Amino acid sequence: HKRVQRDASTGYDTVSEGLGYGMLLAVCFDEQSLFDDLYGYVKSHFNGNGLMHWHIDANNNVTSHDGGNGAATDADEDIALALVFADKKWGSGRYNYNQEAKTLINNLYNHCVENGSNVLKPGDMWGGSSVTNPSYFAPAWYKVFAKFTGDNRWNQVADKCYQIVAAVNNSGTGLVPDWCTASGTQASGQGFNYTYDATRYGWRTAIDYSWFGDSRAKANCDAITKFFKNIGAAGIVDGYTVQGQKVGSNHNASFIGPIASASMTGYDLDFGKQLYQETVNVKDAEQYGYYGNCLRMLTLLYITGNFPNLSEDIVQPSPTPTQKPTPTNTQRPTPTQTSKVVKYGDVNDDGDVDSTDLTILKRYILRKPVSVNLKAADVNLDSEVDSTDVTLLKRYLLRKIPYLPY
């Protein structure tokens, strides 16, 4: 089986987190054979709870000095989401993705959600109300899990994540700590700054706004964007107190991409564009490249509209395979002519703004061959047609916003 290995700084070992990232990337890039190889490695390292050993050395031995036989919740939830997406995208393969996903999601709930409190534990063998990790909070994932399995308790887990973050005393910065209690206070023996764990929070949370329009996600991510706008894209470093005092000094990919993701909720799209460009420009050196460059790739996919909710947004292949474009010909579909009076949101020019327009706009963002009225599709009037327009059109159709353009 193939595995995702870390870099030279850790002896090219493997952590379950990397398998989660790898499987998400494989399904996004339509690499089914690679996906199956990675999942085969995951299955070869399930512990007695049906969750993945979190740490395996380069010789395929589960580590003992750091409890490597236990699970890391963020990894298994990413693996589970990737399996849901694989089921929707491919149907089946070397594995029954549907059954594998449901089993893993059930194991996650039984072993990584604290009984009676809905608090997400950081692993299957420790944590809960006394210590949790906000960067593991993935409310959009849990809403997908609830719909996929019919287990609505996952929605309560999502709600609890927002309650914990709301309890953190961060003076309005939006920053979360690496670790905290369920009351939002510092956990005994754990760091309470916004550093290399907490950086992922903006990415995971912004996706909940893009996929489900959750206003709590927007509020949290808008606060993060506002805080970093005062610093500037080029001034971001690798650590702050939750109140906003700088404690780091390195400008790297681990922090820029997730902050750029947070900006996608629309607080300041001009600053969002600056953050996007900074994410493109900053790549971590190979010696320490595993973590930051994984986050860079995942966040760039999201920022550019290429990380949709495949459990809902999947477009089934036609019976006759369509010709793939060559790498040298990546023209976007030709837009239709616009009329003098623009009806914003009416992407297909049929006179109505409805779910068909949303589907077409999603396909356009995914570079599918569709005809689009680009003027009508630019529902926030920023002269770009991107994932933000998809989010706004979806919120309009859900009656979350009263009019377009918005």
Side-chain angles (χ1 to χ4, degrees):
H1 302 297
K2 291 185 174 69
R3 66 184 176 98
V4 176
Q5 66 178 28
R6 291 199 289 186
D7 47 56
S9 68
T10 56
Y12 301 106
D13 61 356
T14 287
V15 287
S16 56
E17 161 200 274
L19 273 296
Y21 296 161
M23 288 175 62
L24 286 173
L25 291 171
V27 74
C28 285
F29 283 102
D30 202 19
E31 295 282 354
Q32 186 174 11
S33 178
L34 174 60
F35 183 96
D36 287 346
D37 264 349
L38 293 175
Y39 188 56
Y41 182 85
V42 170
K43 284 180 70 69
S44 74
H45 281 289
F46 275 156
N47 64 18
N49 291 329
L51 300 166
M52 188 181 175
H53 301 135
W54 86 267
H55 195 184
I56 303 105
D57 68 22
N59 296 314
N60 202 35
N61 300 307
V62 178
T63 60
S64 57
H65 67 281
D66 53 4
N69 63 311
T73 304
D74 63 322
D76 288 270
E77 65 188 12
D78 287 347
I79 293 166
L81 183 72
L83 286 166
V84 172
F85 283 1
D87 174 58
K88 298 297 184 179
K89 191 179 187 74
W90 298 314
S92 62
R94 194 182 309 170
Y95 303 99
N96 182 333
Y97 304 131
N98 184 290
Q99 188 56 58
E100 295 287 337
K102 288 178 177 175
T103 299
L104 183 55
I105 291 167
N106 187 59
N107 291 342
L108 268 167
Y109 189 86
N110 288 337
H111 299 290
C112 296
V113 177
E114 186 177 57
N115 186 33
S117 71
N118 298 314
V119 173
L120 190 76
K121 297 164 57 180
D124 59 339
M125 299 182 182
W126 73 296
S129 293
S130 62
V131 57
T132 188
N133 187 318
S135 80
Y136 292 8
F137 296 173
W141 280 225
Y142 311 148
K143 294 170 187 177
V144 171
F145 294 168
K147 186 172 182 179
F148 186 74
T149 64
D151 186 350
N152 289 320
R153 294 178 299 177
W154 280 108
N155 292 321
Q156 298 171 11
V157 177
D159 290 341
K160 190 65 177 183
C161 290
Y162 283 115
Q163 290 172 17
I164 293 171
V165 169
V168 174
N169 180 18
N170 59 16
S171 302
T173 63
L175 303 182
V176 299
D178 289 336
W179 302 91
C180 65
T181 69
S183 301
T185 57
Q186 184 166 7
S188 177
Q190 303 292 340
F192 196 65
N193 288 335
Y194 174 87
T195 66
Y196 281 88
D197 270 313
T199 180
R200 295 172 291 187
Y201 178 78
W203 165 60
R204 293 192 185 277
T205 304
I207 291 171
D208 194 26
Y209 181 66
S210 294
W211 290 359
F212 296 101
D214 197 307
S215 60
R216 296 169 296 184
K218 177 172 172 57
N220 291 356
C221 289
D222 283 357
I224 293 171
T225 306
K226 180 179 179 181
F227 171 76
F228 283 107
K229 182 184 177 183
N230 292 326
I231 293 171
I236 294 168
V237 296
D238 61 341
Y240 298 85
T241 67
V242 293
Q243 286 81 24
Q245 181 180 354
K246 184 169 70 172
V247 296
S249 58
N250 298 303
H251 183 66
N252 62 33
S254 298
F255 285 75
I256 300 164
I259 294 165
S261 297
S263 76
M264 292 297 100
T265 57
Y267 175 78
D268 186 320
L269 291 178
D270 287 334
F271 182 53
K273 291 174 186 177
Q274 295 172 32
L275 288 166
Y276 161 71
Q277 194 58 56
E278 195 72 4
T279 306
V280 171
N281 292 343
V282 177
K283 184 178 180 180
D284 289 351
E286 184 177 348
Q287 174 76 6
Y288 302 98
Y290 151 76
Y291 185 67
N293 291 335
C294 281
L295 291 180
R296 177 175 178 266
M297 178 63 76
L298 287 163
T299 56
L300 281 172
L301 281 172
Y302 168 61
I303 293 164
T304 58
N306 291 299
F307 194 75
N309 178 5
L310 293 181
S311 70
E312 294 183 353
D313 299 345
I314 191 68
V315 178
Q316 294 297 336
S318 57
T320 303
T322 55
Q323 187 176 0
K324 292 185 177 180
T326 62
T328 57
N329 181 16
T330 56
Q331 284 185 309
R332 300 292 291 256
T334 303
T336 59
Q337 291 294 110
T338 60
S339 58
K340 291 183 180 180
V341 178
V342 177
K343 186 170 186 177
Y344 288 95
D346 183 16
V347 173
N348 64 350
D349 280 331
D350 70 348
D352 295 314
V353 179
D354 53 27
S355 60
T356 301
D357 297 294
L358 181 62
T359 299
I360 291 172
L361 184 54
K362 288 175 179 177
R363 296 194 68 183
Y364 174 79
I365 295 296
L366 293 172
R367 300 182 183 273
K368 303 294 183 180
V370 290
S371 183
V372 173
N373 181 330
L374 293 182
K375 187 74 172 178
D378 182 20
V379 296
N380 66 343
L381 301 181
D382 69 346
S383 300
E384 301 280 350
V385 176
D386 52 26
S387 59
T388 302
D389 297 294
V390 173
T391 298
L392 290 173
L393 180 54
K394 183 173 183 178
R395 287 176 59 77
Y396 173 77
L397 294 173
L398 292 172
R399 301 179 187 273
K400 299 289 187 180
I401 57 177
Y403 51 81
L404 295 174
Y406 187 79

